[in-house]
Amino acid sequence: MKAIEDIRNHPLYVEAYKKLEQEEQERIFCCHQMEHLLDVARIAYIQSLEQKLEIRKEVIYAAALLHDIGKYRQYTEGIPHEKASAEIAEVILNELSENFFSETEKASILRAILGHRRLREDMEVLERLIYTSDKLSRKCFACKAQEECDWDAGKKNFALEI
């Protein structure tokens, strides 16, 4: 998927990802690096196929790879990471050398990034898909820092979801 490689290799993505790695270097809780981003993408794609959602694979992967890319700004500047990630994603999507995504798809990707932290009744399909997949990607049942984690117990995964 050339679109996804172009996102991953975009200078702003590379810079943000390095900052994210640096900020999470000593983190004992869930991290937001490539393993997590790809877990979200793969879970979302599987769910999309199972539910026959007809969302292009590139759109799902773009939303997943970009949904937490601004997390370092939450650590360093106190900016909610969904907002920081959407700001970064918008620049990247608009600067891609090819038109991989329609304007409607770009808007959907940005909404999914902005909405991936809170479940709402009026969520769009991709937004709900990224929200759900983000939560399903967490391995709370096997986490060594489970006792110290302040994540809401209702959002933690204490069993494998299949």
Side-chain angles (χ1 to χ4, degrees):
M1 288 187 288
K2 184 167 177 2
I4 303 311
E5 279 302 293
D6 283 6
I7 289 170
R8 196 179 62 80
N9 292 312
H10 188 282
L12 183 55
Y13 191 91
V14 171
E15 176 188 350
Y17 190 82
K18 283 180 185 175
K19 289 179 180 179
L20 178 58
E21 277 184 316
Q22 187 175 15
E23 289 300 319
E24 291 189 339
Q25 203 168 30
E26 303 296 322
R27 186 172 166 85
I28 62 169
F29 303 108
C30 295
C31 290
H32 305 85
Q33 295 163 33
M34 199 53 67
E35 181 182 3
H36 168 64
L37 303 175
L38 288 174
D39 284 349
V40 172
R42 292 171 179 145
I43 291 167
Y45 186 61
I46 291 167
Q47 285 191 328
S48 174
L49 293 174
E50 289 177 347
Q51 297 172 31
K52 298 177 178 34
L53 298 178
E54 298 184 14
I55 301 171
R56 287 193 316 124
K57 187 176 188 178
E58 291 85 355
V59 172
I60 292 169
Y61 270 71
L65 261 62
L66 291 163
H67 85 279
D68 280 340
I69 197 62
K71 183 75 171 178
Y72 76 92
R73 290 184 66 198
Q74 183 169 318
Y75 299 135
T76 60
E77 303 169 42
I79 297 171
H81 79 269
E82 66 274 21
K83 291 179 183 173
S85 297
E87 288 173 9
I88 293 167
E90 185 171 21
V91 171
I92 292 170
L93 291 172
N94 287 329
E95 289 184 358
L96 291 176
S97 61
E98 297 180 40
N99 292 326
F100 295 112
F101 306 104
S102 69
E103 292 304 315
T104 301
E105 288 173 329
K106 286 181 192 178
S108 184
I109 291 166
L110 294 175
R111 270 192 298 282
I113 294 167
L114 283 168
H116 83 271
R117 293 188 66 205
R118 287 172 195 80
L119 184 62
R120 298 182 332 274
E121 285 186 31
D122 63 339
M123 291 177 104
E124 288 190 359
V125 176
L126 181 63
E127 186 179 11
R128 183 177 297 276
L129 187 63
I130 297 299
Y131 168 85
T132 303
S133 301
D134 189 37
K135 304 310 171 248
L136 289 173
S137 74
R138 301 303 182 182
K139 302 164 191 83
C140 304
F141 56 86
C143 181
K144 294 176 184 163
Q146 189 181 116
E147 296 298 318
E148 301 161 85
C149 181
D150 64 356
W151 216 34
D152 181 73
K155 291 184 179 180
K156 289 181 181 179
N157 292 329
F158 291 116
L160 282 173
E161 295 273 339
I162 298 175

